[in-house]
Amino acid sequence: NAGVMQNPRHLVRRRGQEARLRCSPMKGHSHVYWYRQLPEEGLKFMVYLQKENIIDESGMPKERFSAEFPKEGPSILRIQQVVRGDSAAYFCASSHPNTGELFFGEGSRLTVL
Amino acid sequence: DQQVKQNSPSLSVQEGRISILNCDYTNSMFDYFLWYKKYPAEGPTFLISISSIKDKNEDGRFTVFLNKSAKHLSLHIVPSQPGDSAVYFCAASAFSGGYNKLIFGAGTRLAVHP
């Protein structure tokens, strides 16, 4: 009964590099959400995707951030030219299309040096 | 623009006593409210929820109360146990368009001590 799987759990990047975070939803789930948690803050919605479609990206920064959920394979959150302010925990959640209940992964912690 | 607010960043309670965590919201379109529990280095896990058509939902030691007129909800844990020590997030959503976009509060860190 595999839950939401995220990798890597920890990622260290230098300023200007790219970060790629991956999320495999629970079996049977076709909806993926990405949230970001900055230190001492709550989780902030970033983007909601279904297979091959971005449904709501209202929480995504306008530049450098992108997300995809291809037909095959995990969802990927991509951050280009990272800056120190991108250091955060990035959580992925998935839901069944009928119930809507979100199940979260353990998060990917990005540190930008 | 904080639509969901948890004004107490931390709470300390003695084991066996009641823990009360509070949450306020501003968006009257929210129709579903949830509490998540989070341990360090782990993802949030669902604890309990309540629909806006109810004012109380109980699950074992956990009870959530909703006061729609005040736009306020609270989580009661009775009796509190050391294993309850974690960060608790209040979340709200308006389940429309077929998906569940949760808006989270900043969290309250609960410490249950002997």
Side-chain angles (χ1 to χ4, degrees):
Chain A
N1 184 20
V4 177
M5 304 299 293
Q6 290 190 247
N7 69 84
R9 292 292 310 277
H10 300 275
L11 182 64
V12 179
R13 286 287 180 265
R14 296 190 182 278
R15 281 181 297 168
Q17 292 184 319
E18 178 179 289
R20 284 192 181 218
L21 310 176
R22 288 175 290 278
C23 169
S24 296
M26 284 181 69
K27 186 176 181 179
H29 288 191
S30 56
H31 297 197
V32 166
Y33 305 73
W34 285 94
Y35 283 80
R36 175 166 66 173
Q37 184 184 21
L38 295 170
E40 305 304 320
E41 295 187 14
L43 285 77
K44 304 289 187 188
F45 170 81
M46 298 182 75
V47 62
Y48 161 66
L49 310 101
Q50 296 178 14
K51 284 284 188 181
E52 300 185 278
N53 283 306
I54 298 175
I55 307 301
D56 182 345
E57 55 181 347
S58 58
M60 289 279 271
K62 293 290 185 286
E63 298 176 343
R64 303 187 296 107
F65 284 71
S66 62
E68 63 176 7
F69 189 17
K71 186 177 180 181
E72 301 291 337
S75 174
I76 295 175
L77 180 66
R78 182 183 179 201
I79 311 171
Q80 295 177 288
Q81 299 173 351
V82 295
V83 300
R84 289 214 174 103
D86 297 332
S87 295
Y90 292 83
F91 291 96
C92 171
S94 72
S95 70
H96 189 279
N98 293 340
T99 65
E101 183 180 345
L102 268 62
F103 293 85
F104 282 85
E106 294 189 322
S108 291
R109 278 149 189 84
L110 171 66
T111 301
V112 179
L113 302 177
Chain B
D1 178 23
Q2 279 187 289
Q3 298 186 66
V4 178
K5 297 180 183 179
Q6 293 177 256
N7 292 320
S8 298
S10 63
L11 176 67
S12 181
V13 172
Q14 190 172 24
E15 182 179 3
R17 306 294 288 268
I18 184 172
S19 295
I20 300 177
L21 295 94
N22 295 302
C23 177
D24 297 292
Y25 62 96
T26 57
N27 190 341
S28 57
M29 296 300 292
F30 288 144
D31 57 8
Y32 194 59
F33 303 89
L34 309 91
W35 285 92
Y36 280 80
K37 178 179 179 180
K38 186 180 180 303
Y39 292 116
E42 294 186 9
T45 55
F46 171 75
L47 192 58
I48 192 170
S49 64
I50 188 167
S51 164
S52 61
I53 62 174
K54 295 186 175 182
D55 55 18
K56 177 182 176 181
N57 187 27
E58 190 172 353
D59 184 2
R61 296 186 297 113
F62 303 90
T63 303
V64 56
F65 295 92
L66 175 63
N67 183 333
K68 283 177 59 180
S69 61
K71 293 190 176 67
H72 177 84
L73 65 155
S74 61
L75 174 67
H76 292 210
I77 307 173
V78 181
S80 301
Q81 299 174 355
D84 296 331
S85 297
V87 177
Y88 289 79
F89 291 99
C90 170
S93 76
F95 189 64
S96 61
Y99 72 102
N100 198 8
K101 178 177 173 180
L102 296 183
I103 307 298
F104 283 85
T108 296
R109 186 179 303 275
L110 174 65
V112 180
H113 55 85

